[in-house]
Structures are given as C-alpha cells and as structure tokens.
C-alpha cells in the first residue's frame, strides 16, 4: 500500500489493485502488508498502534514499514494517527484501519477499483472495472445491473458495495465514532439539507471549484490529486481526515465552510457569503448556496 | 617563651554602596552573582513554561476542548518546549557552573567576567523577546524542534516562526560560550598552578564535556582548544586591566567600557 501524507489527511493507494482512497485502510488478515510511506508536503508519521510501530513520512524520501495483521484477530476497526507534528490540524489527521477476512477484502477491493458508479450513462466511460483475470469475483446484485453486458456496452457491471458494517463500528467500537461537535456559529438551511438532487449535484461538481482539487474515477476532467479522491466517497465512514462522520449533516457543513470546521484546512470555504478563516476573505463569486451544496452532498453520497 | 602571633581578627567582606542595590546586580560581573541571576531567571521562565503547560492541560481536560484554538495550542506547546529547554533547564545548569566552578578550581572568577555578564544579559533579553509574541497570538508554532519543511516559509508563511529564527541571542550559544570561557579559565589555572588535570572536580569535567570544543585532551591542557576564538577572548574589553577583583568593576554590559 502506498501511503501519501497530506496536510492533513491520508491518501492510500493499492497499486496492485488500482485503488485510490483516503483516510480508510482495509487490510486482509493474515497477509503481510508493506506500506510505502511518502509525503507530499511536510513530515508526517504513520501509526496504527494496535498493529505495529510508527514510522515517519519524510520529504523526498520513501520509507517502508510492514506488518501482518494476525489471522486469528476478530474483524476490527482500528484508529490510525499522524504521529509527527505537521501543522495546524495535526491532531485532526487521523485515519481508520479495518482488518477484514481475505474474502471480505476481495469484495471490498472489487468494488473500490471500479469507477464511480452513478446512475448516469454519460459518466462511466472508462474501462470495465472487473478485471478479466477473474481475481475479483463479481457478485450480481441489483436488478438494475445490465445482465451479461455485451462487449459494446460501455457501462460495466459494478461489483456490490462491501464496507465494514457501520452498525458494528457503532456497537463494538464506540470510541471510533467521531465526536467532534460542529463549531458554534455555523448554520445550514434545514429546509434544504439532505434534500438535494444528485444529478444537479453532478453538474455542479463539474462547474464549481470542486473539480479543481478532487478526482472522481470515471468522471472526465476530475483528475486532480490535491484533495482526496472521491470516487467512492459515499462508502467511507468519515470525512475531513477522520474528524467528522460521513453523514448528510456533517458533509453539508463541511462543504460549506471546511476551514471553520477543521483549523487550517486547505479545502477552502465554498458557501456563498461565508468567511474563510484561512484565506481571510469572504466567498462571493463561485460560492455555492445551501441548496446547491445540498445537491453536491446528494451527489457525493450517491458515489458508492 | 615563644609567643604566637595573634591571628588577625576575622572580618566580614565589606560591600560598599556600589556593591549593593539593584544597580549592583544589573552591572555585576561577579561569577557568584551572575550564577544567582541565572538561577532566578531560570526559575522565572520555569514558571512561564509551567503556565503554558497548564493551559494545555486545561484544553485536554475534556475531549474536543475549546479553551484555546488549534493554532494557539500549537504555539503553546512550541513555546513550552522552547521555554523549558532554552530558558529554564540550560540556564539552570549555567547557574551552577557559574557559581561553583571558579570555586572548585580555586580561581578568583571566570577568565572573562564581562563576557560572562554579557552572556547572561543576552540570555535574559532573548528570553523576553521570544516569550512576548505568543501573548498576541503570534508565537512560534512549528514545534520547538522546528523541523523543516514545516518550519519553512512555504508551510509557515506567517510571522510566527520568524521569531524563533530571528532570535539572534540564542541563549544556548551564549551559555555555551560562557562554558568555553570557563574551560579556558579552568585550563589557565590548572597550568599556572601546576596541578594535575585530575585535580579539577568531576563537575568541571562534566561541564567541559558539555561545551563545544571543550573535550579535554590529557597532556594538552595549556594550549587553547579554540584558536579562532583566542583573539576575541584576549580582547581587553573582556578583561579587567587593573587587575581588580571582578566584582569591583562596574560592568560594561553590552560592550560599554568604563575605563
């Protein structure tokens, strides 16, 4: 796994599987994982206390650390940390590691390596996600999936979503649930929250500033690597470097004014008329209204 | 019958007006007084560092604490580390070796009393300089270790880290310089009095070991270990040319000569 430290979030790449994700690691039990540690900016350190030691991510250098999650372990959700002071939100640079069985890992990986699946014929025009080698078993699910897609059909059947069950996290790993409250003074129009339209959100994503930093697999133009890859953002448990749970409320507030929720955040304030405490200006042109943000939230949540 | 001459009556050392009061402390070049000043200043900064630590503990008393902002918290731990290492612990050791080593080796004072006083004042003024910005939320925030690249302009564009960088009187250097002169002093005396290196106490060895260029080489005691510094150390500004007891000299602190 390639680990790339950013101020202040983690990028994880599984080069053998062609997966890019952020702040969440899935590790098959009983298999040795080698982490290739790099940083895009300042020094960070990669640490999952329950699995092994920590090691620094050093600028212009690649470090390695490897360990094998014990085969006999229960499936577990583990906390990961940045353990080298890296700036304002160093304490908010967390990640989650899930140890799962090899079969579950295969399921997860099969889904994660497919392009962002959105019910829109125009979007996924990339190569079929399921590799022909059969490494990833495809399990048919919804009736919407075209049965036995002919060679000409661009839309590949997507592997079913498998993620570490949220109920288990909340029941068995209560400490794992982010508890950071939304700072006082933040508002979001309750009438539109959670009522956005994903299709409008998709179009908005493409013509607002989002696309400047975030990549979404299968969406032409969304290829930037500044921010976390959002291809399967809807499947993640947390946002903002593990600071907030990935739900409608937090996602809405987060997009509206990220630097207010996470000190120093490089993601700018998007909400129209909002004050950006990092760039010290008020967003006017290019800012989005609450209704528009609700659309984007709907779109991101649909990206599974 | 043999008479034994009566011993002269014991008299306390007398201090005249010039040797008491605030001014005498501000201008002193006496190693014991400077040692005491180091001790008091170090204790003062120890309290400052303790206050910074207390604020941090208050923030951490509960999860998601809001006593201070994230930015201020980073300044607090940066300044806590800086204060405790450079403004409390190191000067604390300087207090002891200033006070004790001349006594241990039987010297009147350190070799360069004015330089000694200069070191102390640079430390105090530097300590005040570096402690003030945090009051205005502009304190250094890159960690007291200041690792690059986080501490560089690219990742710390604000003025905060500049205070740490523009802290010319890094007290570590000056305390170390104080140590160099002690080392010099120690050797001069050892040679002059034809005493063995071993005569000097363990404490002296410890301090010498802690000072750059100060590692003693047996058999080489009478040569200065830091030739480049010698002309500077020989400069008359640093010496009391009249050969008076150093304590009797009004200190030309910060280079103002009186004679």
């Amino acid at each position: 796994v390639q680990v790339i430290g950013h101020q202040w979030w983690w990028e994880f790449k599984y080069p053998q599987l062609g997966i890019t994700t952020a702040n969440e690691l899935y590790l098959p039990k009983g298999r040795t994982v080698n982490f290739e540690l790099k940083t895009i900016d300042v020094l960070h350190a990669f640490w999952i206390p329950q699995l092994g030691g920590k090691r620094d991510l050093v600028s212009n250098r690649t470090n390695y650390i490897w360990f094998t999650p014990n085969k006999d372990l229960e499936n577990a959700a583990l906390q990961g940390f940045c353990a080298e002071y890296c700036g304002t939100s160093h304490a908010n640079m967390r990640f989650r590691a899930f140890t799962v069985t090899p079969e579950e890992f295969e399921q997860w990986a099969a889904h994660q390596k497919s392009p962002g699946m959105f019910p829109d014929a125009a979007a996924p025009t990339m190569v079929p996600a399921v590799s022909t080698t059969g490494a990833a078993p495809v399990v048919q699910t919804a009736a919407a999936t075209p049965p036995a897609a002919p060679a000409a059909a661009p839309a590949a059947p997507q592997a079913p979503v498998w993620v570490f069950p949220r109920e288990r996290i909340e029941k068995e790993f209560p400490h794992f649930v982010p508890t950071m409250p939304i700072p006082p003074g933040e508002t979001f129009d309750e009438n539109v929250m959670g009522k956005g339209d994903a299709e409008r959100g998709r179009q908005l994503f493409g013509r607002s500033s989002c696309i400047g930093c975030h990549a979404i697999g299968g969406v032409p133009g969304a290829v930037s690597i500044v921010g976390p890859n959002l291809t399967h953002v809807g499947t993640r448990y947390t946002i903002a470097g593990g600071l907030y749970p990935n739900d409608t409320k937090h996602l809405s507030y987060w997009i509206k004014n990220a630097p207010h929720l996470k000190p120093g955040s490089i993601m700018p304030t998007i909400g129209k008329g909002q004050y950006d405490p990092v760039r010290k200006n008020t967003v006017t042109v290019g800012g989005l209204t609450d209704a528009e943000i609700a659309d984007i939230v709907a779109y991101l949540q649909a990206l599974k | 019958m043999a008479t034994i001459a009566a011993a002269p009556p014991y008299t306390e050392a007398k201090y005249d007006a010039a040797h008491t009061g605030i001014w005498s402390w501000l201008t002193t070049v006496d190693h014991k007084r400077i040692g005491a000043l180091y001790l008091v200043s170090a204790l003062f900064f120890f309290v400052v560092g303790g206050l910074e630590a207390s604020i941090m503990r208050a923030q951490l008393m509960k999860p998601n604490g809001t006593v201070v902002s994230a930015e201020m918290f980073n300044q607090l731990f940066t300044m806590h580390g800086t204060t405790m290492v450079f403004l409390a612990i190191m000067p604390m050791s300087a207090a002891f070796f200033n006070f004790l080593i001349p006594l241990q080796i039987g010297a009147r004072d350190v070799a360069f009393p004015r330089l000694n006083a200069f070191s102390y004042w640079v430390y105090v003024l530097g300590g005040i300089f570096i402690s003030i910005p945090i009051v205005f939320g502009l304190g250094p925030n890159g960690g007291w270790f200041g690792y690059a690249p986080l501490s560089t302009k690219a990742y710390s564009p604000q003025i905060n880290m500049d205070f740490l960088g523009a802290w010319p009187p890094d007290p570590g250097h000056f305390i170390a310089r104080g140590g160099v002169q002690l080392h010099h002093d120690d050797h001069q005396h050892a040679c002059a009095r034809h005493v063995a290196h071993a005569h000097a106490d363990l404490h002296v060895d410890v301090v010498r070991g802690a000072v750059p260029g100060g590692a003693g080489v047996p058999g080489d005691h009478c040569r200065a270990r830091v030739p480049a510094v010698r002309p500077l150390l020989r400069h008359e500004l640093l010496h009391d040319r009249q050969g008076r007891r150093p304590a009797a000299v009004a200190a030309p602190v910060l280079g103002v000569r009186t004679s």
Side-chain angles (χ1 to χ4, degrees), chain B residues 14-110:
Chain B
K14 284 246 165 38
Y15 287 95
D16 58 34
H19 301 142
T20 58
I22 295 279
W23 188 245
S24 73
W25 281 95
L26 294 182
T27 58
T28 187
V29 292
D30 175 44
H31 73 97
K32 287 193 210 167
R33 284 185 159 205
I34 289 173
L37 287 172
Y38 265 118
L39 188 69
V40 171
S41 316
L43 288 174
F44 169 75
F45 283 113
F46 188 71
V47 171
V48 172
L51 281 177
E52 285 156 357
S54 310
I55 298 171
M56 285 192 282
R57 296 319 303 182
Q59 164 87 351
L60 299 175
M61 199 156 56
K62 284 189 295 182
N64 307 326
T66 52
V67 176
V68 292
S69 66
E71 185 49 40
M72 179 50 86
F73 190 88
N74 294 343
Q75 296 178 23
L76 279 170
F77 75 68
T78 301
M79 278 314 297
H80 170 72
T82 307
T83 304
M84 286 306 195
V85 172
F86 297 107
L87 305 179
I89 298 169
M90 283 171 58
M92 195 83 78
S93 65
F96 285 101
F97 63 66
N98 258 287
F99 196 97
L100 292 177
I101 290 183
L103 300 180
Q104 286 174 324
I105 63 174
R108 284 186 312 174
D109 202 316
V110 296

Side-chain angles (χ1 to χ4, degrees), chain A residues 25 59 68 83 87 123 142 156 160 162 167 173 176 239 252 255 277-278 296:
Chain A
L25 266 178
S59 314
T68 313
W162 189 88
E167 311 78 62
F173 307 95
F176 199 96
I239 55 168
S252 308
I255 295 170
V278 170
I296 294 206

Side-chain angles (χ1 to χ4, degrees), chain A residues 133-144:
Chain A
T133 59
V138 182
V139 186
Q140 295 294 332
T141 49

Side-chain angles (χ1 to χ4, degrees), chain A residues 278-292:
Chain A
V278 170
R279 285 146 207 91
K280 303 206 189 312
N281 59 10
T282 302
V283 177
T284 50
V285 180
L288 301 181
T289 63
D290 283 5
E292 288 171 319

